[in-house]
Amino acid sequence: MTRHPSPGPPGRPLGIVDVARAAGVSTGTVSYVLNQPDRVAARTRRHVLAVIERLGYVRRDSARQLRAGHSRILALLVHDMGNPFYAALARGAERAARAAGLGVMVCNSAQSPAEEAHYLALFAEQRVRGVLVTPSGPGREALRAFRRHGIPYVVVDSVTAGDEGCAVGVDDVAGGALAVRHLLAGGHGDLAYVSGPPHLRQVRDRRAGAHQALAEAGLPPSALRELATERLDVAGGRDAGARLLGLARRPTAVFCANDLLALGVLQALYTAGVKVPDDIRIVGYDDIEFAAAATVPLTSVHQPARTLGSLAANLLLNEGDPSHEHQHLSLAPRLAVRESSSPTRVR
């Protein structure tokens, strides 16, 4: 029976000293195998790698990353990974990062400026390679403070003229206008807007687009009654739906700031026996996968989430190029029309 030297005291993480002892080579040889394998003879390299696999050694990059000034991780900070829109965005970012040999760490700000500032401070402490962020703060204060750390970032899902770095998003003003024009074209001039936290730019821009469409039709802003919610989720939509049902004069059509809100409104109306689209028509925003699969398929303003994530990650990866110039990419939205706003299904 072949005996292998003990890798080290129990309970202590394995290091390259333990690998070297078990392999019968110097620590320098192990280091070369890990970092400059071409400098080691093939037979020795195979032997050391076999020992590494047998011991279950995992390299710890912290010290090397600190010397280099950054890690091999990109950070992604979004409002809520429970929203399928952000999950799809994260997949797009992950694919671009993986192609560059990097990983992605995902965090949620819970739509809170304070949480956003907390995570940005954590990213600076960990010296991440770069940050993709959907801002929660109305004035980008946390991002301006983060800039002093010298870590590049790209704003994703929100583009404003004042962004100092790169930004990628969909034109939410145009998206809000698309939704309301569609409802007005169906003969609905008494509308509701189920919105979210007022400090979120997406909520404000989609409202602005809705008012733009009303103005084009010669209707006053009061033609759009707003039902605000604290969070952009299904529970918030159910609550808004209950308030909608309690109105003495119900609107005949509803535009929701995102699909999760729209699905919650749809649930509340269905439970109360209100028919969609016969009694009330609904339009959401994001066009998440579940929109088309709802009991009443949901009309929604489409955002190409994976494309947004991939574009943002690639812009971030290009930040180190001396010829890199900051870009603001605002993609055009489109409307995916389904049964919730039309008695006849549109395929």
Side-chain angles (χ1 to χ4, degrees), residues 33 61 90 104 122 154 170 189 194 196 218 236 239 254 257 279 284 295 316 335 337:
V33 169
D61 282 350
V104 176
L122 177 64
V154 171
V170 165
V194 177
D239 174 70
V254 181
D279 300 325
T295 303
L316 188 59
L335 191 67
V337 179

Side-chain angles (χ1 to χ4, degrees), residues 115-134:
E115 285 293 300
E116 177 185 313
H118 164 77
Y119 277 115
L120 288 173
L122 177 64
F123 299 155
E125 179 183 327
Q126 295 298 315
R127 300 299 299 170
V128 297
R129 177 69 60 90
V131 176
L132 304 172
V133 56
T134 301

Side-chain angles (χ1 to χ4, degrees), residues 24-334:
V25 299
S26 69
T27 56
T29 297
V30 177
S31 180
Y32 281 137
V33 169
L34 293 171
N35 300 300
Q36 301 179 59
D38 291 343
R39 298 189 61 175
V40 183
R43 181 176 179 181
T44 302
R45 187 168 66 243
R46 288 193 298 270
H47 170 63
V48 171
L49 289 173
V51 171
I52 287 172
E53 182 176 359
R54 174 171 59 81
L55 296 180
Y57 168 74
V58 177
R59 65 189 299 174
R60 296 190 299 277
D61 282 350
S62 300
R64 184 169 61 85
Q65 290 168 0
L66 287 173
R67 287 194 299 273
H70 52 70
S71 72
R72 294 188 299 115
I73 296 296
L74 300 182
L76 172 62
L77 179 60
V78 298
H79 292 162
D80 179 13
M81 277 298 291
N83 184 336
F85 168 75
Y86 289 116
L89 189 151
R91 286 196 291 272
E94 181 194 20
R95 178 171 296 180
R98 189 168 62 242
L102 304 176
V104 176
M105 171 175 61
V106 181
C107 299
N108 296 296
S109 69
Q111 305 163 19
S112 164
E115 285 293 300
E116 177 185 313
H118 164 77
Y119 277 115
L120 288 173
L122 177 64
F123 299 155
E125 179 183 327
Q126 295 298 315
R127 300 299 299 170
V128 297
R129 177 69 60 90
V131 176
L132 304 172
V133 56
T134 301
S136 296
R140 308 282 210 257
E141 293 90 350
L143 279 176
R144 278 196 285 270
F146 181 73
R147 180 172 285 277
R148 70 176 184 270
H149 297 291
I151 298 173
Y153 68 84
V154 171
V155 171
V156 59
D157 190 34
S158 178
V159 180
T160 67
D163 285 326
E164 298 178 11
C166 290
V168 179
V170 165
D171 186 338
D172 284 321
V173 175
L178 267 180
V180 171
R181 285 192 200 111
H182 170 69
L183 293 172
L184 292 174
H188 299 273
D190 187 3
L191 311 174
Y193 176 47
V194 177
S195 64
H199 62 269
L200 295 181
R201 178 168 294 278
Q202 293 90 333
V203 169
R204 300 198 307 272
D205 283 355
R206 293 167 195 178
R207 181 197 301 115
H211 283 149
Q212 182 184 97
L214 290 174
E216 292 169 358
L219 295 172
S222 58
L224 186 74
R225 287 179 276 172
E226 184 165 352
L227 298 169
T229 63
E230 293 184 359
R231 294 183 59 81
L232 296 167
D233 57 17
V234 173
R238 284 196 295 263
D239 174 70
R243 284 182 280 147
L244 184 71
L245 290 166
L247 294 175
R249 178 175 57 87
R250 291 180 193 166
T252 60
V254 181
F255 169 43
C256 298
N258 77 358
D259 285 344
L260 295 184
L261 289 174
L263 292 172
V265 171
L266 183 62
Q267 285 181 9
L269 297 181
Y270 178 82
T271 301
V274 176
K275 295 180 180 178
V276 176
D278 297 337
D279 300 325
I280 295 180
R281 300 188 183 186
I282 302 176
V283 174
Y285 205 106
D286 290 338
D287 197 20
I288 61 175
E289 183 177 352
F290 300 128
T295 303
V296 179
L298 181 66
T299 294
S300 183
V301 178
H302 177 77
Q303 294 202 87
R306 290 197 188 194
T307 299
L308 289 174
S310 177
L311 283 173
N314 281 314
L315 283 175
L316 188 59
L317 293 169
N318 288 333
E319 284 278 351
D321 189 330
S323 63
H324 174 78
E325 295 183 2
H326 293 316
Q327 299 181 56
H328 290 177
L329 304 179
S330 184
L331 308 184
R334 63 176 176 83

